[in-house]
Amino acid sequence: MSKKAVCILSGGMDSTLASYIAKDEGYDIIAVHFNYGQRTQNKELESFRNICKDLEIEQKYEIDIPFFTQIGASALTDKSIDVPTQGVKPGVPITYVPFRNGIFLSIATAIAEKEEAQALFIGVVEEDSSGYPDCTDPFIKKMTSAINEGTKESTKLEIKTPLVKLMKSDIVKKALELNVPLEHTWSCYKEEEEACGVCDSCRLRLNGFKEANAVDPIPYKAN
């Protein structure tokens, strides 16, 4: 009997690698993408669709959750708040979207229960992230406990976070090892044509490629 995994796939480098690891582990993938009013929503959706083609994923969900723009409080969903470009600072940044991963995992759990999947894959990164509280190992462990408590007895879900303890350079190396089409991924918080190169996400990505002695294949603005 085949084993199934629901993969939360944003179109970014981390979630894409997590999906490739799921495939490498022998899972049939059900891909889930969220349009939540983020600045680069169109580009991320394009990346998601390209990666699904690369992975030959037949079953996918594109979920619209527009209420994040009503909540605001994040530079990703509120265009009156500027995306920081001065470098990664300590603490929780203004690009944090309140409880985003908790909400994503809750919706993905509903899909996994319907599809009778055994695992949820999410590309959270703890050590080299931007300080998001919903990207940590303790958070994932507690969410795993909660979703198994709140679903049918026959539902046994494991949240798999294969990247959680990796640095960005390790992620780049692993992606190259698995032949992940990094040219189809997008990480920039601000731009959809050429990555800005100066937001936290771009800085972390570019530094990862630099430390891995590799060249990032996506286009960047000249800064």
Side-chain angles (χ1 to χ4, degrees):
M1 187 175 173
S2 65
K3 55 181 184 176
K4 296 181 186 177
V6 171
C7 294
I8 297 173
L9 181 51
S10 69
M13 183 167 67
D14 301 343
S15 66
T16 301
L17 175 57
S19 299
Y20 268 76
I21 290 171
K23 183 182 180 182
D24 197 51
E25 291 182 6
Y27 285 94
D28 288 339
I29 296 173
I30 300 151
V32 182
H33 179 79
F34 297 101
N35 300 309
Y36 59 96
Q38 66 272 41
R39 289 173 184 261
T40 55
Q41 179 171 288
N42 293 333
K43 184 65 177 181
E44 288 181 32
L45 182 58
E46 175 191 308
S47 296
F48 168 75
R49 289 172 176 171
N50 284 332
I51 292 154
C52 284
K53 284 180 188 171
D54 296 329
L55 279 166
E56 299 179 338
I57 294 171
E58 294 180 4
Q59 200 163 5
K60 58 184 186 288
Y61 291 81
E62 296 173 4
I63 307 285
D64 295 324
I65 42 175
F67 64 79
F68 276 123
T69 58
Q70 286 179 267
I71 296 169
S74 169
L76 296 194
T77 57
D78 185 342
K79 290 181 179 170
S80 70
I81 303 172
D82 291 335
V83 173
T85 58
Q86 302 307 309
V88 181
K89 303 283 197 306
V92 180
I94 195 64
T95 51
Y96 166 66
V97 179
F99 203 60
R100 181 185 64 181
N101 284 342
I103 291 164
F104 285 0
L105 284 166
S106 298
I107 295 170
T109 295
I111 293 168
E113 187 162 43
K114 174 208 164 187
E115 301 287 353
E116 299 182 341
Q118 292 79 41
L120 289 173
F121 277 75
I122 185 168
V124 294
V125 180
E126 186 175 79
E127 293 180 317
D128 197 25
S129 71
S130 296
Y132 296 157
D134 57 353
C135 287
T136 66
D137 215 18
F139 169 72
I140 295 297
K141 284 185 170 68
K142 287 175 180 176
M143 278 297 291
T144 302
S145 176
I147 65 176
N148 282 299
E149 188 68 30
T151 49
K152 293 183 297 186
E153 197 173 329
S154 58
T155 301
K156 307 287 183 194
L157 274 171
E158 180 183 5
I159 302 177
K160 303 198 78 167
T161 57
L163 317 186
V164 73
K165 296 297 184 185
L166 299 184
M167 301 299 285
K168 269 289 191 286
S169 56
D170 300 320
I171 290 167
V172 172
K173 289 173 186 173
K174 183 68 175 176
L176 293 172
E177 180 189 318
L178 292 181
N179 294 314
V180 174
L182 293 171
E183 68 276 9
H184 286 162
T185 65
W186 197 255
S187 303
C188 185
Y189 287 153
K190 290 183 65 179
E191 305 292 339
E192 295 188 304
E193 296 299 324
E194 294 177 310
C196 73
V198 290
C199 70
D200 288 0
S201 187
C202 279
R203 287 177 187 272
L204 289 167
R205 176 174 172 138
L206 284 168
N207 190 56
F209 273 91
K210 181 181 176 183
E211 290 185 357
N213 293 313
V215 177
D216 191 343
I218 70 167
Y220 284 87
K221 285 185 172 183
N223 290 304

